[in-house]
Amino acid sequence: MRKFYLLCLLLLCMVTAQAQNRALNGRVVDASNSQPLIGVSVSVKGTQAGTATDINGKFTLNVPSGQAVTLVAKYIGYADQEVAYTPTDQDITIKLPARANDLDEVVVVGYGTIKRRDLTGSVASVKASDIVKTPTHNALEAIEGRASGVDITRSSGNAGSGVNIQIRGTRSIPSYTLNPNNPNAANYPLYVIDGVQTLNASTINNLNPNDIESIDVLQDAASTAIYGSQGANGVVIVTTKKGISGKPKISYNGYYGFNGFTQFPQPRQGEDYLNLRREAYRGTTGSYQPDNVVFNNPGELAAIQAGQFVNWVDLATRNGQQQSHTVSVRGGSDATKAFFSAGYFNEQGQLRNNDYTRYTLRYNIDHKLSSWFKAGITGQLAYSKTNDRRDPLSTALTATPLGVPYNADGSINLYPIAGNTIFTSPLTDERPGASINELLSTEINTTAYTELTPIKGLTYRMNFGSILSNSRRGEFYDQYSLTQNNAKYPLARVTNSNSRYYNWDNIITYNRQFAKHNATVTVLSSYVHSDGEDVLAQGISQTLNAQNFYGLAGTQTTSRTIADPYSRYDLLAYAGRFNYSYDGRYLLQGTLRFDGASRLAPGHKWDSFPSVSAGWVASQESFLKNVSTITNLKFRASYGVTGNSGLPVYGTQSLLTAIPMGFGDTPANAYTFNGTIVAEGLGWEKSHELDLGIDFGVLKNRITGTVDFYNTKTTGLLYPRSLPQSTGQSLVYQNIASTSNQGINITLTSINIQSKSFTWSTTATFSHNREKILSLVDGRNIIDASVPEERSLFIGSPVQSFYTYKKAGIWQLNENPSAVMLGNTPFKYGDIKVQDLNGDNIIDATNDRTVIGHAQPQWYGGLQNTFRYKNIDLNIYVLARYGQTIKAEFVGRYNPSGTTNGPANFNYWTPENPTNDFPQPRTGSSLATIYPTTYPSLYYIDGSFIKIKNLSLGYTFPKSITDKFKIGTLRAYATASNIFTFTRNKLLRDYDPERGGAESAPISRQLVFGVNLDL
C-alpha cells in the first residue's frame, strides 16, 4: 500500500510541474532578409532547457508559466541574441543579424575548409544574403565593392554582359596583339565552382545567383599558392547550395522591372547645332557666312527651313525590361540530401534587338552510404540566347540632326534628308532582317565526388569535374547596315564552337588532435585538360537577304572563307599543405606545389610554388582575456610564390600559315611562319607576395574589421616584342619586365543600433593599390608603335598608363600663341594649349608627351547601410572609385567643323566665350584633322565617381498573415540600381564612368519589384 501512495505522490508532482510550465512557440529568421534559419540553438537562459529550429526556422520550448524568461539564440555566422519575453508573449520571432569575422564561421579555401579563427591567409567572404541584394544575372556583379581588394566593374551595358575583375592590381602585361578581343585575360583570377577549376569567366556568368551559398576570394599568395600557376591572380571560390535534412523546403525568388533611363550625352539640337556650323565658318574665314554657304550639303537647308530636327540618340534608345524567376527545392534525410532549382532570366537592353535569355537547371545531391563512405554529384545545365548588334550610339551622337526618321507607314527612312543619299539613318539596323547577330550557347557543368574516411582523422576525396560547352553564332548584315554601309554589300557568317574541360583532383587529408595541439596534413594531385575547336564560314553578296546566315551557299564563290582552328592545353600538379595550431593561439601553415604547363617551352614547363603563413590570436592570451572591450584580436603574416604561364596556348611554337599560290594554271599552297617565332627559354611569370594582416572585434563584436597590407613583386613578365622586317617574322614572346603592387585592404563592420524593433548595421570596404613597372628588358621605356597613348610601358608607372600631351587649356586673346610652334606651324588663338615640358617653345612628340594618368584608381570602396524596423528593411549601398583616368570616347565626338554632331554640353571657345574646355570651331573634316597631334589631350580625363549603386526597400509579411495561407515566409521588395552618379569631371555629368569611358553600351539604371517566398 505504501508503494501505491508513493506512486500517486510522484504522479501528482509531475502533473503539478507540468501545470507550472507552458509551451512557447517561435521562429528564428535572418535579420537582413527574414529567411528562416535552420538548426539555430535556442535555450532558456539560466536553465538546461533548449532546442533547435526546424526547416522552417520554428521551435517550441517549455518555459515556466507566469514568469518572464530570457531566450538565448546562437547560430554559426550570426551574432548571439538574448531576448526577454513576458509571461503573455506567444508566437515570437527572433531576428539574428549576421556577424562578420565570426571565429567559428567556416571559410572555403583551396581544397578544403577552415574555421575563420584558424585562418592565416587573406580571404574575403560574401554570403548568399548579400549576393541576392543586387538584381543581376551575374553573381560577381552582385559582390562589386563588397570585398576589399577585389576590383569589379560591369564590362558594358549590353544585355547579359559580364564583368571586369582584378584582385590586387595588374600583374601581367595585356596582350593586345595576340588576344585583341580579351587582352587583359592574363590578369583574370581562377574560378573554382564546387571544386572545379576554370579560367573561363562565362562559366560564372551562367550561374544563377540564387543557387549560390557563398563566394570566398583568396587574395594573398599563402592562400592561392595551393593552386600554383592557376591562382596567380587570385582565386574566386563559389559554393552552391546543398540539401538539408528534414521536410522539403520549396522557395520562389523572382523580380520584374525596367532598365534604361541611361546616362548618355545628348546631341546638339536646333539653333545650338546651327550656331556651331556658323561659328566654324567664322573661325576659318574671320566672319559669318550666309546659311546657303554654311549648310551646303544636299537637302540640309531645306530640312532646316522645314524645322525637321531629329534627336537620333533618343530614337536609338529605349527603356528595356528585366526579369528573373527561380524555383528551388531543398530537403533530404540524414543519409541523402538534395537541392534542385530551375531558373529563368531575361533582359531586354537599352537598344532594340539587344536581349539576353538564360535558362538554368541545377541539381546537388549528397548521399552517405555508410559511416566511412559518402558520394555526391553537383551539376548545372545552362542554355542562353543572346541577340547582339553593333552599337549605334556613336553614329546617333554624331549624325546630322536633321531629316524625317520614319516613312508614312512607320518604317525606317533609310535616307532621312531628302535628296541626300550619302547620309544613312542611324536607325538602319532596326529595319527587319537588316542586322542579325544571334548567339546560342549551351553549357553542362558536372562534378562528382567520393569521400572515404577509413580511420578517424584520415580522409580521401576524389573530385572529377567537367565543363562541356558549345555555341553557334550566326551573323548577317545587309548592304545598308551600320556594319556594311561603307562596303555596300551584304555579309553572312556562321561560327560553331565546341570546348571540353576536365578537372580531376585526388586529395588525402589527415587530421590529428592531441592535448592542445592540432595538426592537419593535405597532399593532392590535380590534372586539368582543355581543348576546343571552332568552325567558321563566311561570304559576301548573298543571293537572298532573307536567308540571312543560313544561305552561305548563295554567297559569292570567290569571297567564301572557311577556318577551323583547334587548341589544347594540359596542366598537371602535385601539392602538399601542413596546418598546425597550438591551443587556438599560435597558427602555422606551409604549402608547396609543383606545376607542369604544356604551353611553356621545353625545359621550363615545371616549376614550384611555396608559401608559408602564421597567425597569433592575441585575444586568447591571458593578459587580454579579461579585457572586456576586445572580443577578438589576431595578427597574420604570410609569404608565398605563385606563377602564371600567361601566354596563348601555342605561344612558344612557330606555326605555319598556308598561302594560296599557283604555277601557271595549277593552284598550289605555299607555307610561311605565322609571324610569331619560338622563344627558347620562355618561362613562368612569378609573383612573390608578403602580406601582413590584422583581424579584430571589439565591444562583443559590435565592431569588427580586417586590415591587410601587402607587397607583391612579379618578375619575368611576358611580352610580344616586335622583330625587324629582315627576320621575316613580326613577334617573339620574351620574359622582359617586372612589376610591383603594394597596397592596403580594409573591411569594417559595425552594429550601430540593435534593439527588439530596430537594427542598423554598416559595412565599409576600402582598397588602395600602388602599381608600377620596376624594370624593362633594356632599362628603357617601350613606346608602342600602333597606339602609343594606351599601350606604352614606362618604368615607375602602372602597366596601363596613358601617354600623350597634357592639356593646359585653350590659347586665349591675352596670350601669345604664335610664340610656340607645333612642328613648323605656330599656334593660334582658340587652339588647344598643351604643356611645353622642356620649355623650348616647340611642341614635339619626343620631348613633350608624358604619362598623364592611369587606368587603375588610387582607391575604391563600398559602403553598405542596412536598416530594419520591425518588418521593414532598407538597404543602401554606395560605391566609389577615385583617381582613375579614363578615355572618354564621346569627348572625341566634338567636331569643330559642325559637319557632324556632338554632345550638347561641350563648351567651345569663341572670342566672346573664352572657355578652356574645347577649341574654336573651324571648317574641316574632323577634330583629328583640324587639331592634329594635340587632340588626344582632350580624351583622357579624370574618371573619379561616387554613386548610389543599390537602394532596396522590403517588407516581410507577419506570421499572422503567412500562417493563414500556410506560407513559411513572404517578403516583397523594390530595388533601384545605378540611381545617382556624382562625377569629379563636369564632362561626365551625363555619363556613368563605371563603363570606363567607352561610348558604346553605357551603363543603364534599373528599377525592379520582387518577391521572396518560402513554403
Side-chain angles (χ1 to χ4, degrees), residues 588-854:
L588 180 66
Q589 175 182 288
T591 301
L592 180 62
R593 171 159 168 153
F594 295 90
D595 269 17
S598 64
R599 66 181 67 189
L600 289 176
H604 298 270
K605 294 181 182 294
W606 285 88
D607 214 328
S608 61
F609 306 98
S611 75
V612 62
S613 59
W616 174 39
V617 185
S619 54
Q620 294 296 309
E621 299 288 355
S622 58
F623 58 85
L624 284 179
K625 274 190 174 181
N626 296 325
V627 181
S628 59
T629 56
I630 299 177
T631 312
N632 174 43
L633 180 62
K634 180 169 71 173
F635 298 93
R636 295 178 283 105
S638 69
Y639 178 82
V641 181
T642 57
N644 187 359
S645 55
L647 76 165
V649 175
Y650 302 115
T652 60
Q653 300 182 29
S654 297
L655 304 180
L656 296 178
T657 301
I659 300 177
M661 293 185 65
F663 295 94
D665 295 330
T666 304
N669 279 335
Y671 294 90
T672 181
F673 289 109
N674 69 346
T676 303
I677 63 173
V678 173
E680 294 184 3
L682 193 65
W684 298 83
E685 295 181 355
K686 280 195 169 184
S687 294
H688 304 252
E689 182 172 19
L690 172 68
D691 184 283
L692 303 175
I694 304 172
D695 303 325
F696 64 88
V698 297
L699 303 176
K700 296 184 178 180
N701 278 346
R702 290 289 292 268
I703 301 175
T704 59
T706 297
V707 181
D708 276 277
F709 304 88
Y710 62 88
N711 185 357
T712 306
K713 182 180 179 180
T714 305
T715 58
L717 267 68
L718 295 160
Y719 183 75
R721 298 192 68 192
S722 299
L723 295 173
Q725 290 185 352
S726 58
T727 64
Q729 302 299 307
S730 57
L731 295 172
V732 58
Y733 259 100
Q734 290 184 340
N735 301 98
I736 69 156
S738 64
T739 60
S740 168
N741 282 275
Q742 300 175 337
I744 179 173
N745 301 329
I746 302 174
T747 300
L748 293 174
T749 297
S750 64
I751 302 174
N752 308 313
I753 300 176
Q754 183 176 355
S755 66
K756 185 176 180 180
S757 299
F758 180 73
T759 59
W760 170 28
S761 62
T762 300
T763 297
T765 62
F766 174 86
S767 303
H768 164 70
N769 182 74
R770 184 168 178 256
E771 171 193 319
K772 63 180 178 179
I773 296 174
L774 296 177
S775 64
L776 292 171
V777 62
D778 55 2
R780 295 183 299 173
N781 298 328
I782 298 176
I783 308 300
D784 188 83
S786 58
V787 190
E789 294 86 3
E790 300 169 33
R791 301 180 185 177
S792 299
L793 302 175
F794 300 93
I795 297 174
S797 293
V799 172
Q800 294 177 292
S801 297
F802 298 116
Y803 173 70
T804 187
Y805 301 96
K806 188 170 185 178
K807 181 172 176 277
I810 304 297
W811 284 105
Q812 302 295 333
L813 295 176
N814 60 353
E815 297 177 314
N816 185 18
S818 60
V820 181
M821 306 292 289
L822 179 60
N824 296 321
T825 304
F827 282 95
K828 296 180 293 185
Y829 299 118
D831 281 355
I832 301 172
K833 182 181 181 181
V834 297
Q835 290 186 358
D836 179 14
L837 297 182
N838 66 346
D840 64 354
N841 289 332
I842 298 175
I843 302 299
D844 64 273
T846 303
N847 297 302
D848 296 311
R849 289 188 298 178
T850 186
V851 174
I852 62 169
H854 320 290

Side-chain angles (χ1 to χ4, degrees), residues 135 232 242 346 363 367 438 475 484 528 542 582 584 605 630 649 788 847:
K242 301 294 189 288
N346 174 260
Y363 57 91
H367 181 65
E438 181 187 78
E475 300 172 78
Q484 294 297 110
V528 170
Q542 197 158 325
Y582 175 75
K605 294 181 182 294
I630 299 177
V649 175
N847 297 302

Side-chain angles (χ1 to χ4, degrees), residues 511-522:
N511 174 258
R512 178 74 186 276
Q513 186 170 357
F514 49 97
K516 296 182 178 181
H517 306 272
N518 191 314
T520 302
V521 177
T522 302

Side-chain angles (χ1 to χ4, degrees), residues 227-261:
Y227 289 104
S229 62
Q230 298 280 84
N233 298 305
V235 181
V236 178
I237 300 179
V238 179
T239 304
T240 60
K241 294 177 179 178
K242 301 294 189 288
I244 53 176
S245 300
K247 180 181 176 182
K249 173 185 174 183
I250 302 174
S251 301
Y252 165 77
N253 296 283
Y255 60 79
Y256 178 87
F258 309 93
N259 57 38
F261 321 103

Side-chain angles (χ1 to χ4, degrees), residues 464-582:
F464 183 81
S466 66
I467 303 174
L468 307 177
S469 61
N470 65 79
S471 65
R472 189 272 290 153
R473 182 182 293 276
E475 300 172 78
F476 173 76
Y477 310 102
D478 77 7
Q479 59 268 42
Y480 304 112
S481 65
L482 293 175
T483 301
Q484 294 297 110
N485 189 41
N486 291 330
K488 298 302 182 186
Y489 52 73
L491 169 69
R493 179 189 300 127
V494 174
T495 306
N496 288 288
S497 301
N498 292 279
S499 66
R500 294 156 294 275
Y501 184 93
Y502 306 109
N503 180 198
W504 182 29
D505 296 332
N506 291 275
I507 309 161
I508 298 175
T509 303
Y510 181 69
N511 174 258
R512 178 74 186 276
Q513 186 170 357
F514 49 97
K516 296 182 178 181
H517 306 272
N518 191 314
T520 302
V521 177
T522 302
V523 293
L524 62 93
S525 68
S526 180
Y527 173 69
V528 170
H529 166 90
S530 177
D531 71 273
E533 72 267 354
D534 298 331
V535 178
L536 179 147
Q538 73 173 36
I540 64 172
S541 301
Q542 197 158 325
T543 305
L544 294 174
N545 286 356
Q547 292 179 312
N548 53 67
F549 51 80
Y550 293 110
L552 295 182
T555 58
Q556 187 182 88
T557 306
T558 57
S559 71
R560 295 175 191 165
T561 301
I562 298 175
D564 57 343
Y566 171 85
S567 66
R568 168 182 172 170
Y569 71 87
D570 296 271
L571 181 75
L572 181 62
Y574 303 96
R577 180 173 59 205
F578 175 73
N579 290 82
Y580 172 77
S581 169
Y582 175 75

